């Protein structure tokens, strides 16, 4: 009976050692897998961040170009408006002068 118990105890010790070994190996594997996944996600997020920063830079440059073009167009249109207002004044003065001259001719 003692011999049987010793054999059972020996078997149980072996099984316990196997379980410990297997769980140690599985734990190490899972830790490495989790670390690899984390590193992979970090690389992906880093790449996405880099791409988004590049897009932001590109959009800022495009915005600067559009703002500059808008400013230049606005300045041109303001100058043109001033020029046309000057021409309107000239034509109105000319009209007034010619109407006065025609009235004088008709009155005479």
């Amino acid at each position: 009976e003692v011999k049987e118990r010793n054999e059972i105890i020996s078997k149980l010790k072996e099984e316990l050692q196997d379980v410990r070994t297997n769980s140690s190996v599985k734990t190490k594997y899972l830790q490495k897998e989790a670390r690899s996944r984390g590193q992979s996600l970090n690389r992906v997020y880093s790449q996405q961040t880099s791409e988004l920063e590049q897009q932001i830079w590109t959009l800022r440059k495009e915005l600067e170009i559009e703002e500059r073009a808008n400013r230049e167009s606005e300045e041109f249109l303001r100058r043109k408006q001033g020029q046309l207002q000057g021409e309107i004044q000239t034509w109105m003065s000319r009209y007034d002068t010619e109407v006065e001259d025609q009235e004088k001719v008709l009155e005479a």
Side-chain angles (χ1 to χ4, degrees):
E1 190 178 307
V2 171
K3 189 175 181 180
E4 282 180 31
R5 286 186 180 172
N6 283 340
E7 286 177 10
I8 292 173
I9 290 173
S10 178
K11 276 187 175 184
L12 290 174
K13 283 182 177 180
E14 284 179 28
E15 286 179 21
L16 178 62
Q17 184 60 37
D18 286 344
V19 167
R20 284 182 178 162
T21 303
N22 284 339
S23 20
S24 174
V25 168
K26 286 181 182 178
T27 301
K28 287 179 182 178
Y29 172 78
L30 291 173
Q31 286 174 340
K32 284 182 179 181
E33 185 180 17
R35 190 172 24 254
S36 293
R37 281 188 184 154
Q39 289 171 346
S40 176
L41 283 174
N42 281 341
R43 280 191 302 273
V44 168
Y45 292 149
S46 177
Q47 178 65 31
Q48 288 175 343
T49 300
S50 178
E51 288 171 3
L52 289 172
E53 286 174 349
Q54 181 64 36
Q55 281 182 321
I56 289 170
W57 183 84
T58 302
L59 289 172
R60 283 188 176 148
K61 288 298 175 188
E62 289 175 7
L63 180 61
E64 286 177 17
I65 290 168
E66 291 299 323
E67 286 175 339
R68 188 176 332 127
N70 184 39
R71 255 190 328 272
E72 290 173 1
S73 293
E74 184 180 356
E75 289 172 7
F76 169 78
L77 291 172
R78 288 187 191 281
R79 283 192 308 270
K80 188 68 173 175
Q81 181 182 19
Q83 176 189 351
L84 291 174
Q85 285 177 341
E87 288 180 21
I88 288 171
Q89 290 298 326
T90 302
W91 282 103
M92 287 177 67
S93 294
R94 184 173 172 187
Y95 172 79
D96 289 341
T97 304
E98 288 181 3
V99 167
E100 284 178 21
D101 290 345
Q102 288 299 320
E103 286 177 356
K104 287 178 186 176
V105 167
L106 290 175
E107 289 176 1

